[in-house]
Amino acid sequence: MLERVPGYLQAHAADGMTVGGAVWGPVSGRWVASLFYPVRDAQNRTAGLMRLPMDLRVLSERLLPLVPAGTLVVVADAQGRILMRSRDPQDWMGRPVSDAMRALAENPGRGAWAAVPGVDGVERLYAVAAVPRAHWTVYTGVRADEVFAPSHASFARGLALAAGFACLALLLAWRIAQRIVRPIDALHQTTSQVAAGQAQARVAIDGGARELQAVAAEFNRMLDSRERALQELADSESRFRTLSDLSSDWYWEQDAQHRIVRLDGRVAEGTGLPEQVYLGKTRWEVPALNLTEQDWAAHRAVLQARQPFRNFIIQRRDAQGVIRWGAVSGAPVFDDQGQFCGYRGVGRDMTQAKRQEQDRLGLALHIEELSRRLVHTQEEIRRRFSRELHDRTSPNLAALRISLDMLSRTAPAEGGTAETGERLEDMRALIEDTTQSVREICADLHPSVLDRGGLLAVVRSYASQFARRTGMQVHVCCAHGEVRLAPVRELALFRIVQEAMTNSAKHAQARTITVHMQLRAPPLTLSVSDDGLGFDVEQAMRERRTGGLGLINMRETAEFAGGRLSLHSAPGAGTRICVEISPACA
């Protein structure tokens, strides 16, 4: 609808104030003409229009009240439509002037001497004046019959009278045109001054139409608001620069070609280079950054995606050859038409954080290595202790039993009593029990099957011994044959099985234990479940009942093996301990 308003499209291309033609207002029911002024954005492009519709009938009543009787004043727009008329304006507004009157506007030199018919068919002598900027035309005319009637009596007097009327008409047209154009000139001069940087300039209109005075007042208020906004912007810029100077980060802006156009904050401290090195260049055009083409290719790909990004890590070497890190975050900027304008963002020096991270990683690796050495030392001590028991204690016990057997055979022959025989039998049973205990301790300390057969073999062997010792049923389920793992991992998983079965025998009052193993392909899984009493895991966690050494040892052992331990239990539903080793660790 606005594009059909006369002068709307022309105002978009104009530099300053323009005035449109007449249009019938469907809401007001009156003929109006619009005063336009373009509103520009930061790039000095027309972003909108300020429009003031003027009621032409009211404007006629204010501008043409002093027209003498017998004189007709008509104001027409560039299309020749009547905007104002000193007589009966409501009957003629919007109607075109006659072709003869338009011809006078195109050749105003004939205006005072040719009698031409108006739109009402009456011939008049017209004087014509143009209204600058508005592209309006003022026609001032007197009836030809009234002018030439006296000439029948006296041609000279009539000619003088016609000349007087013509001069009067010209003067009247000029004054009306000045009353129309003077406020417009004042507005135009003020806008030119503001555009030239004179922010204190204001529109001053003395007299004139109240609509134009309202426009001037609104324009002055707009300038006041603009000045306040500029002051607030300057204050905000000052606060931003203060924050940038106090912050350990730096702020940056790029244009659409990714050239650095602004830098604030601790640029030199964070990047090792002053901001003058960056301005007007892309980051990959700064050789002093000492970055590889692969790094810049990745950075260009991030920028050309025109998407927000956070903590893009950039690594470089400074002039002394020391490696430095920086983290850059940014967001694309688009104008009102959706066109890409560039990026703005912040950067942080990550050198200290990266070095601390490397120190923590080195410390973690060192701790892990110490843990491995500790486990290895513990297992070596267990292996040596088991070997000592097996190689020295067990033979000694066997020798004692042989000696005891020999003694028991000779004692009756030498007249030994029945009490002596009973004591010898008790000693033999004690030696047998001690020998069995030594074997079980050796198996617990370091089962020799683990070195020879692998995890599946040692779990089956230990399960058999555990079943004989406790009377519980132990099932070992494995869908595949023996699969050898790293010795450290096999030992860790066996210790978890050993601890879980011991807990089931001590606390769960279980009758059956089931061990499931899957070692052929990642993820490797190992689970130990029983049909014991079970417990509420969440409540036990809250009461810290699960904080015993057994569960802690199993969890740490699972993590040491590169896996994760999970516990599942419920009152009356037994307990299940599961260890899973991810593909990355397997």
Side-chain angles (χ1 to χ4, degrees):
M1 293 178 62
L2 286 174
E3 291 180 354
R4 294 197 293 269
V5 175
Y8 177 80
L9 295 177
Q10 292 81 356
H12 266 286
D15 294 332
M17 193 81 66
T18 58
V19 182
V23 64
W24 175 260
V27 178
S28 63
R30 292 174 176 268
W31 284 93
V32 296
S34 297
L35 191 68
F36 296 101
Y37 187 79
V39 179
R40 302 188 180 279
D41 58 14
Q43 286 74 34
N44 200 31
R45 292 175 294 191
T46 301
L49 292 173
M50 184 169 63
R51 175 190 176 212
L52 171 70
M54 298 180 292
D55 188 330
L56 294 176
R57 180 175 177 182
V58 175
L59 197 60
S60 297
E61 293 174 354
R62 291 179 181 165
L63 294 178
L64 308 176
L66 304 178
V67 175
T71 303
L72 178 67
V73 176
V74 177
V75 181
D77 61 11
Q79 288 74 35
R81 289 175 298 185
I82 297 176
L83 304 178
M84 293 179 281
R85 197 171 188 271
S86 59
R87 294 184 183 179
D88 305 322
Q90 67 278 5
D91 298 331
W92 299 97
M93 283 184 180
R95 297 174 64 175
V97 298
S98 64
D99 294 339
M101 294 177 65
R102 296 198 67 174
L104 282 178
E106 297 172 358
N107 188 15
R110 299 174 57 246
W113 308 106
V116 297
V119 68
D120 55 359
V122 179
E123 288 191 352
R124 292 180 175 85
L125 290 173
Y126 283 101
V128 181
V131 180
R133 305 188 195 284
H135 302 290
W136 291 357
T137 304
V138 180
Y139 300 88
T140 305
V142 294
R143 293 176 63 98
D145 54 357
E146 293 179 359
V147 173
F148 291 109
S151 66
H152 296 294
S154 174
F155 177 77
R157 190 178 62 183
L159 185 59
L161 183 60
F165 273 112
C167 293
L168 179 62
L170 286 171
L171 178 61
L172 184 60
W174 178 81
R175 291 191 59 185
I176 292 174
Q178 287 299 311
R179 291 189 63 184
I180 293 174
V181 80
R182 188 181 300 113
I184 298 176
D185 278 339
L187 286 170
H188 181 267
Q189 290 176 4
T190 303
T191 56
S192 299
Q193 292 172 352
V194 173
Q198 302 179 22
Q200 303 300 324
R202 296 294 183 269
V203 182
I205 297 181
D206 297 329
R210 283 188 294 183
E211 287 83 356
L212 292 177
Q213 293 180 4
V215 170
E218 190 62 32
F219 189 73
N220 289 337
R221 282 194 293 270
M222 183 184 70
L223 292 177
D224 292 338
S225 299
R226 175 179 177 271
E227 187 173 358
R228 287 194 298 270
L230 290 176
Q231 183 60 44
E232 292 175 359
L233 181 62
D235 295 341
S236 177
E237 179 77 10
S238 177
R239 290 193 296 269
F240 171 75
R241 290 187 178 277
T242 301
L243 290 175
S244 297
D245 293 338
L246 295 176
S247 173
S248 61
D249 301 340
W250 63 89
Y251 172 81
W252 55 270
E253 287 185 7
Q254 291 179 338
D255 60 14
Q257 287 72 41
H258 307 301
R259 292 188 297 263
I260 301 293
V261 296
R262 176 173 177 176
L263 284 168
D264 290 301
R266 300 182 180 273
V267 182
E269 297 179 14
T271 67
L273 298 173
E275 61 182 78
Q276 292 79 10
V277 176
Y278 295 94
L279 294 178
K281 302 183 182 67
T282 63
R283 286 192 177 93
W284 47 87
E285 292 176 344
V286 182
L289 287 177
N290 294 323
L291 291 172
T292 64
E293 183 59 32
Q294 290 79 6
D295 292 335
W296 281 138
H299 186 50
R300 283 195 295 267
V302 170
L303 292 176
Q304 290 168 359
R306 296 182 181 179
Q307 297 291 331
F309 61 90
R310 293 182 62 84
N311 295 329
F312 183 84
I313 301 298
I314 297 177
Q315 177 181 332
R316 70 177 187 86
R317 291 184 180 273
D318 60 15
Q320 289 74 33
V322 178
I323 296 179
R324 301 183 66 89
W325 290 268
V328 181
S329 301
V333 181
F334 300 92
D335 60 16
D336 296 338
Q337 288 73 37
Q339 297 295 321
F340 175 70
C341 298
Y343 267 92
R344 62 168 64 106
V346 294
R348 289 186 298 125
D349 184 13
M350 299 289 292
T351 302
Q352 184 176 359
K354 279 290 185 179
R355 289 174 180 169
Q356 291 176 351
E357 180 181 350
Q358 289 180 344
D359 292 342
R360 288 194 298 269
L361 180 60
L363 179 61
L365 293 176
H366 182 63
I367 293 175
E368 182 178 355
E369 181 62 24
L370 290 178
S371 300
R372 292 183 184 276
R373 292 181 181 179
L374 178 61
V375 171
H376 178 73
T377 302
Q378 290 176 343
E379 290 301 325
E380 185 62 27
I381 293 173
R382 289 187 179 193
R383 185 182 294 109
R384 291 174 56 187
F385 189 45
S386 175
R387 188 182 304 115
E388 289 291 330
L389 286 175
H390 183 272
D391 295 344
R392 298 186 62 180
T393 306
S394 293
N396 291 340
L397 290 173
L400 283 174
R401 182 178 177 181
I402 292 172
S403 298
L404 188 61
D405 289 340
M406 294 174 61
L407 183 62
S408 64
R409 286 194 297 269
T410 60
E414 297 176 356
T417 64
E419 183 179 356
T420 302
E422 291 178 358
R423 290 183 179 275
L424 290 175
E425 192 63 31
D426 289 341
M427 292 174 64
R428 184 184 295 109
L430 184 60
I431 290 173
E432 285 286 344
D433 182 67
T434 304
T435 302
Q436 183 63 31
S437 297
V438 168
R439 289 182 185 144
E440 292 175 357
I441 291 173
C442 289
D444 287 342
L445 286 174
H446 187 80
S448 59
V449 181
L450 182 63
D451 297 329
R452 300 191 303 269
L455 180 61
L456 179 57
V458 74
V459 170
R460 284 174 174 170
S461 175
Y462 183 79
S464 177
Q465 296 178 16
F466 186 85
R468 288 195 305 269
R469 185 169 71 247
T470 62
M472 301 173 62
Q473 295 183 7
V474 182
H475 304 287
V476 179
C477 303
C478 184
H480 52 77
E482 184 65 71
V483 176
R484 295 308 303 264
L485 305 176
V488 175
R489 182 165 290 155
E490 287 183 341
L491 181 61
L493 294 178
F494 170 70
R495 293 303 181 197
I496 293 174
V497 173
Q498 195 177 37
E499 184 70 28
M501 293 173 65
T502 302
N503 288 342
S504 296
K506 286 183 178 179
H507 309 296
Q509 300 180 18
R511 295 185 300 274
T512 303
I513 298 176
T514 303
V515 180
H516 284 274
M517 302 173 63
Q518 194 290 114
L519 309 175
R520 187 172 295 279
L524 310 183
T525 57
L526 168 69
S527 66
V528 181
S529 56
D530 62 43
D531 59 354
L533 298 176
F535 57 93
D536 187 337
V537 176
E538 293 184 359
Q539 181 179 356
M541 289 292 185
R542 289 194 296 270
E543 295 177 358
R544 299 183 180 273
R545 280 195 243 158
T546 58
L549 292 177
L551 181 57
I552 293 176
N553 288 337
M554 284 191 289
R555 283 180 173 169
E556 291 180 350
T557 304
E559 293 175 358
F560 179 75
R564 182 176 60 90
L565 184 141
S566 58
L567 173 64
H568 309 276
S569 184
T575 302
R576 178 172 177 266
I577 293 174
C578 182
V579 177
E580 180 176 320
I581 300 177
S582 63
C585 297

